[in-house]
Amino acid sequence: MQLICTKLSTHQLGTALGMWLQGFLLTFYHYNPNGITNEALVGIGNMGIYIPAVLCGVSIIFILRYSLTEEKMNRLQKMKQESNSGREIDV
C-alpha cells in the first residue's frame, strides 16, 4: 500500500510542477488568450521544441550512465517476482 501512495504522490507532484512550469512560461512570454502576440507564439514554440529537447538530452545522459548487465537484469526480475508473490524482498 505504501508503494502505491508513493507512486501516486510522485505522479501528483510531477503534474503540479509541470502545470506550474507551463503557467510560468506562458506568463514569461506575455501570453494573453484574448490577443496572442508574436512573442507569445515564439514562446509557445519554444515550450514545444527546446524544453523537451533539453530534457530528452538530460535523460539520455542518465540512460547512458546506467549499466544494465544480464546479471543485474536477472536479479531485478527475481526481485519483481518475489514482490508480486508477496514474499519479503532480499536486497
Side-chain angles (χ1 to χ4, degrees), residues 17-50:
L17 287 174
M19 292 175 67
W20 175 84
L21 181 62
Q22 288 178 4
F24 174 79
L25 289 173
L26 286 173
T27 302
F28 179 77
Y29 287 113
H30 306 290
Y31 174 76
N32 181 0
N34 297 326
I36 299 178
T37 62
N38 284 337
E39 184 182 8
L41 287 175
V42 169
I44 292 170
N46 289 343
M47 289 170 56
I49 296 171
Y50 297 115

Side-chain angles (χ1 to χ4, degrees), residues 7 15 17 21 23 26-28 37 48 60 66 70 79 84:
K7 286 183 180 178
T15 301
L17 287 174
L21 181 62
L26 286 173
T27 302
F28 179 77
T37 62
I60 287 173
Y66 185 76
E70 190 75 30
M79 288 172 60
N84 288 341

Side-chain angles (χ1 to χ4, degrees), residues 8-18:
L8 185 61
S9 298
T10 304
H11 179 73
Q12 289 174 338
L13 179 63
T15 301
L17 287 174

Side-chain angles (χ1 to χ4, degrees), residues 17-91:
L17 287 174
M19 292 175 67
W20 175 84
L21 181 62
Q22 288 178 4
F24 174 79
L25 289 173
L26 286 173
T27 302
F28 179 77
Y29 287 113
H30 306 290
Y31 174 76
N32 181 0
N34 297 326
I36 299 178
T37 62
N38 284 337
E39 184 182 8
L41 287 175
V42 169
I44 292 170
N46 289 343
M47 289 170 56
I49 296 171
Y50 297 115
I51 293 172
V54 168
L55 294 176
C56 184
V58 170
S59 66
I60 287 173
I61 291 170
F62 283 101
I63 290 170
L64 292 176
R65 293 184 48 86
Y66 185 76
S67 60
L68 184 63
T69 61
E70 190 75 30
E71 180 184 329
K72 285 183 182 179
M73 185 65 188
N74 291 334
R75 193 172 73 218
L76 289 171
Q77 287 176 339
K78 181 182 176 188
M79 288 172 60
K80 182 179 177 185
Q81 288 174 350
E82 290 177 2
S83 173
N84 288 341
S85 65
R87 287 185 276 167
E88 187 71 26
I89 299 173
D90 182 29
V91 179

